[in-house]
């Protein structure tokens, strides 16, 4: 335990706080700063207005679990075998984030940071090894699985370890640290309350808050308070989705107010993003003008709404269009905290600040990578071009995103040299990866039975 004195000392030498607000399954086009018209998101938009909108912001995977495993370690999850959504297995210590990897919270701790996660964990349900507080976080309020029911009256399973599978895990009570808490209210509002309280309680020393709203992931559930704002939307799915996003936006507004109230704007980096692209048919999200949706190697799978602010340190109201990654959020705070990174496990995320404030004019990354082991494919973006290439045979595709953001015109035949260059980057990167280390949600008992036949 680091003393109060040491923590306050750390604050004085200028280690910034970081708040990362991550939505779940939010579409690229579903925030005002990316052009959304039917869902007002003034508070989320204010982050882009008071900071930088990253129009080419990527996550390291196109579904929840691996994307979060990457974010929380600032390393590509394919490096350590987290390449599938984990099954909800409260008694399997290997079903989740390997202990070989350090989380950002673990890296920040020696620099005097207090870290909290509120909301969705999804990096392992085995409490003795995978609970957030076993992985560097000082506090936790949320759920261990990949999604959750929003209405308190539906949360009927008291202990997280009593849920037998992913679908049952949606109905557990939320946990405060290690204790189940009797359900209180619509959980998006509940998470916002906790986040405000976290900022208030930790205002005097450097903190890292991962506010991982499970909204607007299914189930589509919203209260009248938020539904009433969208009488103009006819489609009942889109209407509920809009209400859920609006609840998040209210929460973001309350957190920003709390930051202002304590005069922490200049000492706090606040980032907003989604963990993957919108699954358009499931929750009525919208990724336009990007092609594809959650799970895809098209842009709609893993390019997400992405903005961050840091008053006085990065410009206000600009668009940064070079590719950046969710991995860079950890890369940024770890660098600013002067935290030590194990030599054998360098971060893939970089410190974005010199790029955002214009001191470094180069690209933050040579390439943005995606590998999807179970889908037999890679995507590699270098400059404005991107290849999607099957792993075990098949024709590559090449798109120039500067003139074809919707990935409609395959230029592989016209630009064979570029295909070759991008594929060389892919091959080199792939040598650094391992195969998935655990079965995923798709590997149900029925799937295993079929495979054995
Ligand atoms: Ca997700």
């Amino acid at each position: 335990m680091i003393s109060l004195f040491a923590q306050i000392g750390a604050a004085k030498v200028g280690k910034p706080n970081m708040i990362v607000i991550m939505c779940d399954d939010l579409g690229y086009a579903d925030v005002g700063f990316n052009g959304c018209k039917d869902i007002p998101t003034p508070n989320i938009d204010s982050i882009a207005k008071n900071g930088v909108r990253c129009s080419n912001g990527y996550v390291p995977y196109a579904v929840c679990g691996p994307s979060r495993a990457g974010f929380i370690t600032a390393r590509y999850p394919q490096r350590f075998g987290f390449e599938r959504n984990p099954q909800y297995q409260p008694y399997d210590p290997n079903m989740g984030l390997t202990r070989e990897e350090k989380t950002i919270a673990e890296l920040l701790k020696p620099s005097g940071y207090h870290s909290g996660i509120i909301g969705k964990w999804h990096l392992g349900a085995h409490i003795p090894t995978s609970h957030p507080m076993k992985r560097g976080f000082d506090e936790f309020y949320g759920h261990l699985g990949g999604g959750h029911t929003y209405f308190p009256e539906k949360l009927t399973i008291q202990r997280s370890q009593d849920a037998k599978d992913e679908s049952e895990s949606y109905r557990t009570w939320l946990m405060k640290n290690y204790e189940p808490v009797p359900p209180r209210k619509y959980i998006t509002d509940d998470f916002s309350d906790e986040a405000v309280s976290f900022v208030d309680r930790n205002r005097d020393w450097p903190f890292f808050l991962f506010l991982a709203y499970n909204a607007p992931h299914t189930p589509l559930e919203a209260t009248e308070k938020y539904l009433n704002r969208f009488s103009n939307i006819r489609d009942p799915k889109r209407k509920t989705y809009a209400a859920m996003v609006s609840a998040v936006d209210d929460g973001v507004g309350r957190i920003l107010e709390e930051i202002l109230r304590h005069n922490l704007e200049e000492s706090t980096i606040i980032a907003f993003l989604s963990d993957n692209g919108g699954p358009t048919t499931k929750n009525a999200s919208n990724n336009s003008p990007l092609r594809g949706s959650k799970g895809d190697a098209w842009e709609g799978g893993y390019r997400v709404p992405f903005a961050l602010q840091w008053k006085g340190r990065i410009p206000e109201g600009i668009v940064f269009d070079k590719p950046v990654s969710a991995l860079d959020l950890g890369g940024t705070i770890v660098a600013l905290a002067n935290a030590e990174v194990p030599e054998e496990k360098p971060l893939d995320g970089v410190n974005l600040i010199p790029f955002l404030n214009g001191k470094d004019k180069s690209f933050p990354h040579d390439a943005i990578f995606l590998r999807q082991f179970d889908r037999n494919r890679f995507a590699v973006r270098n400059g404005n071009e991107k290849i999607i290439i099957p792993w075990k045979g098949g024709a590559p595709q090449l798109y120039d995103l500067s003139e074809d953001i919707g990935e409609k015109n395959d230029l592989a035949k016209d630009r064979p040299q570029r295909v070759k260059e991008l594929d060389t980057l892919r091959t080199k990167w792939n040598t650094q990866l391992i195969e998935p280390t655990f079965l995923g949600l798709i590997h149900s008992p029925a799937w295993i039975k079929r495979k054995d036949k």
Side-chain angles (χ1 to χ4, degrees):
M1 185 69 198
I2 288 166
S3 72
L4 192 63
F5 180 77
Q7 288 180 342
I8 290 171
K12 279 185 181 151
V13 298
K15 288 177 181 165
N17 310 310
M18 179 176 262
I19 301 176
V20 175
I21 304 165
M22 185 180 277
C23 277
D24 194 353
D25 289 10
L26 177 71
Y28 185 78
D30 291 328
V31 291
F33 71 71
N34 275 355
C36 185
K37 294 281 184 278
D38 60 343
I39 313 171
T41 55
N43 297 302
I44 295 168
D45 297 348
S46 79
I47 296 174
K49 196 174 136 208
N50 294 321
V52 179
R53 169 168 84 91
C54 295
S55 56
N56 289 258
Y58 291 88
V59 286
Y61 204 85
V63 301
C64 318
S67 171
R68 287 156 195 269
F71 161 71
I72 211 73
T73 56
R75 283 163 52 80
Y76 277 110
Q78 297 92 340
R79 291 190 186 281
F80 49 88
F82 203 129
E83 206 167 337
R84 293 168 173 150
N85 265 332
Q87 298 170 5
Y88 191 87
Q89 298 281 6
Y91 295 98
D92 181 353
N94 297 315
M95 185 61 77
L97 183 63
T98 167
R99 293 201 69 86
E100 304 292 310
E101 294 292 320
K102 286 198 186 304
T103 66
I104 307 167
E106 281 173 291
L107 295 176
L108 291 174
K109 194 174 284 271
S111 299
Y113 276 72
H114 181 92
S115 296
I117 164 169
I118 296 164
K120 164 169 162 172
W121 176 239
H122 208 196
L123 299 177
H126 181 254
I127 292 171
T129 58
S130 299
H131 186 282
M133 291 168 72
K134 298 288 183 187
R135 310 312 301 268
F137 285 91
D138 300 291
E139 43 182 291
F140 170 54
Y141 182 69
H143 55 90
L144 299 173
H148 224 70
T149 290
Y150 295 83
F151 295 131
E153 61 274 20
K154 290 189 178 179
L155 305 182
T156 51
I157 300 173
Q158 191 166 330
R159 293 176 356 130
S160 292
Q161 55 270 50
D162 292 340
K164 288 184 202 65
D165 56 26
E166 181 71 10
S167 80
E168 281 197 9
S169 84
Y170 277 42
R171 293 187 284 112
T172 62
W173 287 13
L174 300 173
M175 293 173 90
K176 175 76 181 173
N177 299 335
Y178 292 104
E179 296 302 317
V181 177
R184 305 197 276 223
K185 54 163 77 170
Y186 184 60
I187 71 170
T188 300
D189 294 342
D190 201 9
F191 292 154
S192 301
D193 289 351
E194 278 292 317
V196 169
S197 157
F198 180 94
V199 171
D200 182 46
R201 285 182 283 111
N202 294 292
R203 61 184 186 267
D204 291 332
W205 41 77
F207 64 76
F208 167 55
L209 172 61
F210 179 27
L211 175 52
Y213 285 113
N214 62 308
H217 192 292
T218 55
L220 293 175
E221 294 174 341
T223 53
E224 288 303 315
K225 174 183 170 187
Y226 300 113
L227 287 166
N228 287 341
R229 298 176 182 177
F230 297 97
S231 53
N232 57 322
I233 300 182
R234 287 250 172 105
D235 170 22
K237 261 170 117 173
R238 179 75 181 173
K239 179 176 176 161
T240 309
Y241 174 84
M244 293 164 80
V245 173
S246 198
V248 169
D249 189 70
D250 275 25
V252 171
R254 291 179 53 208
I255 293 146
L256 294 172
E257 262 173 38
E258 190 69 6
I259 290 288
L260 275 177
R261 189 168 81 87
H262 294 305
N263 203 16
L264 296 173
E265 245 189 331
E266 292 177 11
S267 56
T268 308
I269 301 169
I270 304 168
F272 178 89
L273 76 168
S274 178
D275 69 335
N276 50 252
T280 50
T281 54
K282 281 193 179 151
N283 68 357
S285 50
N286 179 2
N287 299 315
S288 66
L290 310 180
R291 181 173 177 179
S293 58
K294 176 178 180 178
D296 286 337
W298 305 114
E299 295 289 287
Y302 68 120
R303 196 204 286 203
V304 297
F306 197 125
L308 68 166
Q309 68 170 64
W310 188 14
K311 192 179 169 70
R313 303 299 287 270
I314 61 174
E316 293 182 17
I318 66 158
V319 179
F320 187 80
D321 60 8
K322 296 188 178 93
V324 301
S325 168
L327 308 178
D328 299 332
L329 297 172
T332 299
I333 193 65
V334 164
L336 295 169
N338 241 335
E340 207 172 309
V341 175
E343 210 172 300
E344 68 284 6
K345 290 181 190 286
L347 305 188
D348 291 304
V350 302
N351 179 3
L352 284 179
I353 304 306
F355 298 97
L356 300 180
N357 66 21
K359 290 210 172 90
D360 191 331
K361 308 270 187 225
S362 66
F363 277 71
H365 299 276
D366 288 340
I368 297 287
F369 294 104
L370 175 69
R371 185 182 81 178
Q372 297 181 301
F373 187 89
D374 291 323
R375 296 193 180 204
N376 176 34
R377 70 186 172 214
F378 288 84
V380 180
R381 176 170 177 180
N382 167 250
N384 286 321
E385 287 153 306
K386 168 183 173 183
I387 54 167
I388 299 177
I389 189 159
W391 190 350
K392 296 156 189 160
Q397 302 161 57
L398 181 103
Y399 299 95
D400 186 336
L401 297 169
S402 66
E403 53 194 44
D404 178 24
I405 193 173
E407 297 172 283
K408 292 191 179 77
N409 306 311
D410 179 4
L411 303 172
K413 289 202 169 66
D414 302 333
R415 302 184 190 176
Q417 184 58 30
R418 288 296 286 149
V419 171
K420 207 173 152 190
E421 286 164 14
L422 270 68
D423 195 36
T424 302
L425 292 171
R426 189 269 303 184
T427 313
K428 190 178 160 210
W429 182 63
N430 192 40
T431 62
Q432 302 164 18
L433 313 181
I434 63 171
E435 294 198 357
T437 55
F438 53 81
L439 293 176
L441 265 187
I442 58 164
H443 304 104
S444 60
W447 181 91
I448 291 164
K449 224 182 205 171
R450 271 202 308 278
K451 193 170 175 268
D452 287 345
K453 272 182 187 165

